Amino acid sequence: MFSGIVEEMATVVAISHDQENIDFTLKCSFVDELKIDQSISHNGVCLTVVRLHDDTYTVTAMKETLERSNLRLITIGDKVNVERSMLMNGRLDGHIVQGHVDQTATCVKMQDADGSTYFTFEYPYSREMAKRGYITVDKGSVTVNGVSLTVCEPTDNRFTVAIIPYTKEHTNFCDIKVGSIVNLEFDILGKYIARLREI
């Protein structure tokens, strides 16, 4: 479980394919604190550390993860938002994030707001998925590339988030532009409420 508060950006230094899986090797400042089997969020996707070597670590993404996320688009040199799993004895600065990406979205608009930036994202709409809680609501939470954000101006298949300069500088929002593909995780509380209404 995560909070959506990104610790830093890790750099992808190697990519290898094993049948339908992909191994990503990354470098970041806390590699020496990691251990095998540890969970780390990568652009919002929970992946397990499978190898440590020198100052790098390796994680494996399986076929379903690659189909649902933007990890399939990553290349060597890319910056990935990373967050280690949440400590239960601390403050929850973001919101409850599982690290289970639901789908991707496309950035369709960027607008300057006196130093901050409004990003608008669009995703394929499915009435059935919306009934199951795969939606955004005004002032609700959504995770974009692993970043916990507050929704504004939601529609059936679009929403906008406001990114302050600090977040833009310290996450890969600095690289997002119109046309960029990002990972979405909708709020788990909304999904549970939607499921309870079906019972």
Side-chain angles (χ1 to χ4, degrees):
M1 185 181 298
F2 307 92
S3 66
I5 305 300
V6 171
E7 291 186 62
E8 65 179 86
M9 290 180 282
T11 302
V12 179
V13 296
I15 298 174
S16 61
H17 296 256
D18 179 16
Q19 296 181 354
E20 295 184 331
N21 299 333
I22 296 181
D23 285 348
F24 297 97
T25 299
L26 304 99
K27 183 180 291 190
C28 70
S29 68
F30 53 75
V31 171
D32 60 347
E33 301 174 34
L34 299 179
K35 60 182 181 180
I36 302 296
D37 288 338
Q38 189 167 353
S39 296
I40 302 175
S41 169
H42 298 78
N43 277 0
V45 180
C46 178
L47 298 174
T48 302
V49 176
V50 297
R51 186 165 55 253
L52 295 166
H53 182 70
D54 294 334
D55 59 347
T56 67
Y57 70 95
T58 301
V59 293
T60 301
M62 56 190 262
K63 180 182 179 182
E64 181 182 357
T65 300
L66 296 168
E67 290 175 349
R68 283 182 177 256
S69 73
N70 65 6
L71 295 185
R72 67 188 183 280
L73 305 174
I74 287 177
T75 59
I76 292 173
D78 283 352
K79 302 289 187 182
V80 177
N81 293 334
V82 291
E83 177 193 357
R84 287 172 285 184
S85 56
M86 183 172 59
L87 294 171
M88 298 303 288
N89 63 347
R91 292 183 177 89
L92 180 58
D93 291 322
H95 72 282
I96 297 171
V97 177
Q98 292 187 295
H100 302 159
V101 166
D102 295 310
Q103 64 186 88
T104 58
T106 303
C107 179
V108 294
K109 183 180 178 182
M110 293 173 60
Q111 181 180 351
D112 182 66
D114 295 325
S116 295
T117 308
Y118 286 109
F119 289 83
T120 300
F121 297 100
E122 182 175 287
Y123 54 93
Y125 174 74
S126 163
R127 182 174 175 80
E128 185 59 37
M129 295 302 281
K131 286 170 57 178
R132 293 170 52 191
Y134 291 75
I135 56 171
T136 55
V137 296
D138 197 36
K139 307 304 181 191
S141 296
V142 68
T143 308
V144 178
N145 269 6
V147 182
S148 172
L149 297 167
T150 301
V151 173
C152 58
E153 301 177 0
T155 68
D156 284 345
N157 68 332
R158 282 189 180 200
F159 64 92
T160 298
V161 292
I163 303 299
I164 62 174
Y166 180 89
T167 302
K168 190 173 182 181
E169 181 181 346
H170 290 88
T171 71
N172 60 17
F173 265 90
C174 63
D175 296 325
I176 293 175
K177 56 187 181 299
V178 172
S180 294
I181 306 297
V182 298
N183 294 331
L184 296 185
E185 180 183 329
F186 298 104
D187 191 354
I188 185 62
L189 298 179
K191 295 174 193 172
Y192 273 115
I193 292 169
R195 181 70 178 100
L196 285 169
R197 292 182 62 188
E198 294 179 352
I199 296 176

